[in-house]
Amino acid sequence: MDSTKLLYDGKAKQIYATDKENEIIMHYKDDATAGNGAKHDQFAGKGILNHTISGIIFDMLAEAGVKTHLIKKLNDRDDLVRKAEIFPLEVIVRNITTGSFCKRTGCREGLVLETPIFEISYKNDEYGDPLINEYHALAMGLCTLEEYAEIKEETLKINEMLKEFFLRLNLKLVDFKIEFGKTENGEIVLADEISPDSCRLWDVDTNQKYDKDVFRQDIGDLIETYKAVLARMENK
Ligand code: 5GP
């Protein structure tokens, strides 16, 4: 397998070509960024931790019937995945208020929402991934109405599965971001990763943060935090 051709070098991952047109390799780097790249650091082993955590979650979701891009794990940092055209949307669900939602609305932190909030942002670093709604997405040609409906339905299902999964680890799923892509045969699949980089997780008893906020806010050791999440997953 020719895995040497770098197709894309992202903030936390790289994408490599393979000798098959419809399969690519997703490689997890040790980089951590926050504030749209304003804060950047490297943590030895972070890529391995996120790859392991995300792999467990993707396997759990696939078993529950979610279509994902994952074909198989190749080693401790690389996945073989189906090539998919990624919708330029950050799909976000909030169960408890914090982060940009509180900054934007003035809502207090930590409010447990009666129903989840479904949000989409336009993936565009130059403009700081602005919050948009379905009218913007359709008018800008980012997805079709049918695609939007499928993404929303699948995301809310994933939220329920993830909430339950993390609760068994004594962690509250505060919010998360996921991404979807469209494969060559038109199938919409869950892509990218689900890890403490892309989810906010708070301990049920103490509200201690077990996610990238420890790096964003300089309030803890990122590697120890991610290791603790993985340990809960492995011990459950
Ligand atoms: P917020 O909009 O409050 O900053 O983030 C909401 C949720 O989406 C959080 O769980 C956060 O980790 C995730 N999120 C938002 N933007 C990004 C992003 O650009 N990359 C990653 N990995 N996660 C993001």
Side-chain angles (χ1 to χ4, degrees):
M1 184 182 291
D2 169 19
S3 61
T4 52
K5 190 173 174 226
L6 179 66
L7 298 176
Y8 171 77
D9 193 10
K11 283 181 268 192
K13 287 188 295 295
Q14 290 172 326
I15 301 292
Y16 291 88
T18 70
D19 52 11
K20 289 199 181 138
E21 177 62 25
N22 296 322
E23 297 181 3
I24 52 176
I25 291 170
M26 191 167 82
H27 173 82
Y28 284 71
K29 304 199 289 189
D30 282 341
D31 300 66
T33 62
N36 198 13
K39 195 171 150 105
H40 179 227
D41 213 334
Q42 282 196 327
F43 297 91
K46 170 182 176 280
I48 296 175
L49 283 165
N50 273 353
H51 178 231
T52 310
I53 292 170
S54 191
I56 294 171
I57 295 173
F58 268 62
D59 285 348
M60 179 275 290
L61 293 174
E63 268 173 42
V66 175
K67 287 175 284 172
T68 86
H69 70 162
L70 183 61
I71 300 169
K72 64 174 178 181
K73 235 181 190 197
L74 296 176
N75 54 48
D76 61 4
R77 281 184 191 270
D78 298 288
D79 280 336
L80 184 66
V81 303
R82 291 167 72 186
K83 194 171 181 177
E85 196 181 334
I86 303 296
F87 291 98
L89 298 172
E90 295 206 331
V91 181
I92 291 172
V93 178
R94 301 178 190 277
N95 297 306
I96 301 176
T97 59
T98 189
S100 71
F101 180 80
C102 293
K103 287 205 188 90
R104 206 166 50 235
T105 62
C107 179
R108 78 166 169 85
E109 290 248 342
L111 181 70
V112 178
L113 295 160
E114 296 273 324
T115 54
I117 293 176
F118 176 85
E119 282 177 7
I120 50 173
S121 291
Y122 175 38
K123 255 172 82 84
N124 184 320
D125 281 342
E126 199 186 337
Y127 288 87
D129 300 333
L131 178 71
I132 58 170
N133 65 28
E134 67 267 41
Y135 287 88
H136 298 92
L138 300 188
M140 291 165 75
L142 309 182
C143 60
T144 67
L145 185 59
E146 293 72 27
E147 288 164 349
Y148 177 80
E150 186 174 334
I151 287 171
K152 183 173 165 185
E153 190 185 335
E154 204 61 8
T155 298
L156 292 172
K157 271 195 230 157
I158 291 170
N159 180 45
E160 293 309 314
M161 294 181 219
L162 289 180
K163 264 201 303 192
E164 206 183 300
F165 175 83
F166 283 115
L167 209 51
R168 275 187 263 128
L169 314 182
N170 213 39
L171 291 169
K172 292 187 269 194
L173 178 63
V174 173
D175 55 27
F176 64 94
K177 183 267 303 180
I178 51 179
E179 296 185 20
F180 290 90
K182 198 169 180 174
T183 64
E184 78 294 344
N185 60 10
E187 214 174 6
I188 294 179
V189 292
L190 178 67
D192 197 45
E193 69 176 288
I194 300 181
S195 72
D197 265 15
S198 58
C199 300
R200 286 197 177 98
L201 304 165
W202 294 354
D203 183 84
V204 168
D205 302 313
T206 65
N207 279 339
Q208 187 181 333
K209 294 177 180 182
Y210 282 88
D211 56 64
K212 199 165 83 171
D213 274 355
V214 298
F215 166 70
R216 293 186 185 105
Q217 302 171 3
D218 278 320
I219 53 171
D221 182 318
L222 181 141
I223 292 294
E224 289 311 313
T225 301
Y226 286 23
K227 273 186 185 166
V229 173
L230 180 58
R232 289 190 191 206
M233 291 167 86
E234 289 175 340
N235 295 330
K236 80 163 186 310

